[in-house]
Amino acid sequence: MSASEKIKAIAEQTIGKVKKEAGRAVGNESATAEGSAKESKGDLRGAKEKVKDAFKN
């Protein structure tokens, strides 16, 4: 996994978790959904990079 893509994936996951939990704390369903989506996007980015790495080896 390239370092920049790994950092992007971790950042998206972290931002998504924070936004999701903040949305839950204040009862904002929209922010919770956006946070979940961002977290999932980060998970998918990380998985994509792992698959790319698997085929390189």
Side-chain angles (χ1 to χ4, degrees), residues 8-44:
K8 286 179 186 177
I10 292 170
E12 281 183 334
Q13 291 167 342
T14 304
I15 292 167
K17 284 180 186 179
V18 169
K19 190 167 190 174
K20 180 174 69 173
E21 293 306 320
R24 281 186 185 161
V26 297
N28 186 335
E29 291 180 20
S30 176
T32 302
E34 287 176 22
S36 292
K38 187 116 179 143
E39 185 178 5
S40 295
K41 186 177 176 184
D43 291 340
L44 289 173

